[in-house]
Amino acid sequence: MVALAVNLPRDVASSARRASADLARELRALATERNAVILAHNYQVPELQDVADFVGDSLGLSYQAAKTDAEVILFCGVHFMAETAKIINPAKRVILPDLEAGCSLSESCPPEKLAEFLKAHAEKNYYVIAYINCSAGVKAQSDIICTSGNADKIVRAAPADRNILFVPDQNLGAWVMERTGRQMDLWQGTCYVHVEFTARSINRIREEFPDAPVVAHPECTYAVRMLADEVCSTEKMVAFCKNSPANEIIVVTEAGMLHRLKKEVPRKTFIPGPTENCFCGECRYMKKNTLEKAYHALLNMEPEIVLSEDIRARAEIPILRMLELSK
């Protein structure tokens, strides 16, 4: 009886791994049958990253899908990311595993609130720069889009005779102001995960690993950014970790990023930046997507992301402007 009690958890875990592997194979087979491409954001659970055709950031994934002849995009990410994929791939069907996979940052700037703000401050003649982490409705009201990787360049290129409104992330906006010296009005939005990292929590982990450099996402607060050795986008984090001579690196962003880093830089140790509440920061919205949900979504071809052509076309214009400036 004792032996059975000890062995049961191991048996259960082994059974769960087999079931997960079987489901992953079934999902891959279904993707072939549906002529679908599977995209997974860096913050998704490991099982989804492992089964995906492409893993990366939201905009990069959408353009990866555009290069394929797939008729369907299964986007394992959050709602605004799937919308971005639809904006860029209007002829493809875009499926999201869980429609409730939202984003606190995107939701901090509802399209109707932005419209009201711009109307109330029409005399400012705002040039609206929108971080890609926003809804299609916000993109449609923007002059240009930026990513965390190209925000500096986009802000520097903004018309000198226009007031700038940067939406929706105030921390990214503040970081760009520090780097460019360009004054901007900042929408008061944040990613709830990145603001949970604090100077105290990062100082504690630095004391534990004094030789490990800290790489942090610019959505973190000023206090955390000041403690980091490098502040950059998720894609640039990969390059930083590959090129750093350090064998241990503290990574201050959503914990899903560590899975990709461990796969691409297997000889190094990655330490999740802790918050005040837990040892690592996990996004409850990103974690709504599961392998099982992804399979059933592709099987049933829903939930599907549908945008009116008016909104889609208007939202595409600032994305194309960004691409033109980024050449």
Side-chain angles (χ1 to χ4, degrees):
M1 290 296 289
V2 173
L4 180 60
V6 170
N7 291 332
L8 186 57
R10 185 179 299 170
D11 293 342
V12 170
S14 178
S15 177
R17 284 194 296 271
R18 286 197 300 271
S20 179
D22 290 343
L23 188 55
R25 282 192 291 272
E26 290 175 19
L27 178 55
R28 289 302 325 167
L30 183 61
T32 300
E33 182 183 321
R34 292 275 194 264
N35 189 19
V37 60
I38 303 175
L39 310 178
H41 189 265
N42 292 313
Y43 298 162
Q44 290 292 287
V45 295
E47 296 83 5
L48 288 173
Q49 292 193 40
D50 290 344
V51 80
D53 294 290
F54 302 102
V55 178
D57 62 23
S58 59
L59 187 63
L61 289 173
S62 294
Y63 277 104
Q64 286 283 11
K67 295 175 185 176
T68 74
D69 61 1
E71 298 173 74
V72 178
I73 298 170
L74 177 63
F75 206 121
C76 301
V78 295
H79 194 272
F80 81 79
M81 297 178 180
E83 282 189 336
T84 302
K86 185 64 178 178
I87 291 166
I88 293 168
N89 298 274
K92 300 181 191 290
R93 295 182 70 177
V94 179
I95 309 297
L96 183 68
D98 190 326
L99 207 54
E100 293 186 1
C103 169
S104 64
L105 178 55
S106 177
E107 289 163 10
S108 72
C109 185
E112 60 275 12
K113 293 293 185 183
L114 176 59
E116 290 171 10
F117 182 88
L118 292 174
K119 184 178 180 181
H121 299 85
E123 78 285 353
K124 286 213 158 189
N125 188 29
Y126 276 122
Y127 184 79
V128 181
I129 300 178
Y131 181 31
I132 192 76
N133 295 26
C134 64
S135 68
V138 168
K139 289 181 176 72
Q141 298 178 66
S142 303
D143 291 285
I144 196 164
I145 304 299
C146 74
T147 67
S148 52
N150 67 16
D152 284 10
K153 188 171 187 177
I154 297 303
V155 168
R156 286 193 175 98
D161 59 347
R162 297 277 298 277
N163 294 304
I164 300 174
L165 176 65
F166 190 93
V167 302
D169 192 277
Q170 61 183 311
N171 289 317
L172 174 63
W175 179 68
V176 175
M177 284 174 62
E178 293 160 17
R179 290 162 64 83
T180 64
R182 189 72 190 269
Q183 182 59 41
M184 302 189 291
D185 290 339
L186 307 178
W187 191 271
Q188 298 301 291
T190 61
C191 163
Y192 91 91
V193 174
H194 285 94
V195 297
E196 285 186 346
F197 300 112
T198 66
R200 186 166 60 179
S201 69
I202 301 308
N203 271 325
R204 281 203 306 265
I205 198 72
R206 291 203 82 155
E207 288 173 5
E208 190 175 347
F209 299 94
D211 297 325
V214 173
V215 58
H217 197 278
E219 289 177 27
C220 293
T221 64
Y222 175 78
V224 170
R225 296 196 307 269
M226 287 297 290
L227 293 173
D229 297 281
E230 180 75 9
V231 178
C232 60
S233 66
T234 52
E235 288 306 308
K236 290 181 180 178
M237 280 185 184
V238 178
F240 174 83
C241 291
K242 285 180 178 177
N243 296 330
S244 171
N247 291 319
E248 296 179 324
I249 301 172
I250 299 167
V251 181
V252 188
T253 190
E254 210 278 345
M257 187 68 198
L258 273 73
H259 181 70
R260 179 179 172 190
L261 289 171
K262 288 172 184 175
K263 288 182 70 174
E264 296 197 23
V265 197
R267 292 195 177 97
K268 295 186 179 182
T269 299
F270 297 102
I271 303 146
T275 70
E276 291 294 326
N277 305 314
C278 62
F279 189 66
C280 63
E282 288 199 338
C283 175
R284 61 178 177 270
Y285 299 109
M286 285 285 183
K287 276 21 180 195
K288 280 185 176 291
N289 295 319
T290 65
L291 195 58
E292 186 175 10
K293 286 179 183 177
Y295 176 81
H296 286 292
L298 191 56
L299 180 67
N300 299 316
M301 295 297 287
E302 62 178 11
E304 182 174 0
I305 301 299
V306 178
L307 298 174
S308 71
E309 179 54 23
D310 175 59
I311 290 291
R312 190 210 66 79
R314 285 165 52 204
E316 186 178 29
I317 292 169
I319 294 176
L320 295 176
R321 284 192 187 125
M322 174 191 69
L323 294 174
E324 184 63 27
L325 267 176
S326 297
K327 285 181 180 177

